[in-house]
């Protein structure tokens, strides 16, 4: 099933800002918005934001999400070493009746 | 607090079946959909399907139709994923995840399934 498109890797310097993107279509990101997940090696994913920019309790304000058309974005400000992880976007696809994921972006904090 | 606790590591031979459990605590299973997602070694997340524990209704990813069955036992607050006719490329960590507001807010710890002869 067709998934969402994310850049495989992004690198930024410590304390800088990183913006990760996620491209879908009008049946998923464009209609339902996207959720963002963070996954550290060897751990299950952790929800960072849902329905574009709602943060679960306990998630830092350094993480903010947005959407423009069929593309969702996650912006991480003041990068910290612990932000180095894989980031996935996900959305329900109303045409496929399926959850679709992006391939993930590996964020490196230099 | 909300937790999803999955069953332990499985090692199976090609052609066999595996059944992974996901026990919910801290909330009632019937209140939220449960999704199953797998992750092959070094790979991304792959959605397998979902079950509505209230009705038992299911949606499956096209790729797994006919090979995966999602069930639940509401009396013990537990969801199950059974995958049949295992192949070596089914080797992965399998996760259950609770859906709230269109996203997966809680995840199980993952169950490693290794398929090897």
């Amino acid at each position: 099933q067709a998934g969402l498109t994310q850049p495989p890797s992004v690198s930024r310097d410590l304390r800088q800002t990183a913006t990760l993107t996620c491209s879908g279509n009008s049946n998923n990101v464009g209609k339902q918005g996207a959720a963002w997940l963070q996954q550290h090696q060897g751990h299950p994913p952790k929800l960072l934001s849902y329905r574009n920019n709602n943060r679960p309790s306990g998630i830092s304000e350094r993480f903010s999400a947005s959407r423009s058309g069929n593309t969702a974005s996650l912006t991480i400000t003041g990068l910290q070493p612990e932000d180095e992880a894989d980031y996935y976007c996900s959305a329900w696809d109303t045409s496929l009746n399926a959850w679709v994921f992006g391939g993930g972006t590996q964020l490196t904090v230099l | 607090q909300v937790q999803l606790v999955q069953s332990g590591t499985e090692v199976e031979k090609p052609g066999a079946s595996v059944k992974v459990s996901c026990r919910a605590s801290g909330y009632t299973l019937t209140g939220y959909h449960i999704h199953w997602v797998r992750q092959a070694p070094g790979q991304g997340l792959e959605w397998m399907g979902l079950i509505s524990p209230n009705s038992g209704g299911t949606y499956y990813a096209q790729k797994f139709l006919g090979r995966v069955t999602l069930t639940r036992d509401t009396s013990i607050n537990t969801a199950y994923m059974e995958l049949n006719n295992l192949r070596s490329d089914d080797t992965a960590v399998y996760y259950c995840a609770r859906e709230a507001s269109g996203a997966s807010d809680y995840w199980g710890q993952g169950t490693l399934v290794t398929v090897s002869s």
Side-chain angles (χ1 to χ4, degrees), chain B residues 10 12-18 20 37-41 46 48 63-64 67-68 81-94 111-116:
Chain B
E10 303 269 10
E12 303 291 348
K13 293 191 183 316
S17 298
V18 69
V20 178
V37 176
R38 77 177 187 180
Q39 187 170 36
E46 182 176 33
M48 300 180 69
K63 174 177 179 176
F64 297 101
R67 229 169 41 100
V68 69
M81 185 282 300
E82 184 170 21
L83 186 61
N84 302 315
N85 195 19
L86 289 167
R87 307 186 289 252
S88 58
D89 62 358
D90 290 319
T91 294
V93 175
Y94 290 76
T111 297
L112 174 62
V113 176
T114 301
V115 183
S116 173

Side-chain angles (χ1 to χ4, degrees), chain A residues 14-53:
Chain A
L14 191 66
R15 294 183 293 277
Q16 295 305 301
T17 295
T19 298
L20 313 182
T21 59
C22 168
S23 296
N25 60 41
S26 59
N27 295 313
N28 43 61
V29 175
K31 177 170 288 185
Q32 305 272 330
W36 287 91
L37 302 159
Q38 177 192 61
Q39 186 180 33
H40 288 105
Q41 182 81 12
H43 292 270
K46 175 182 175 181
L47 183 65
L48 296 177
S49 105
Y50 59 98
R51 297 261 166 92
N52 295 323
N53 197 22

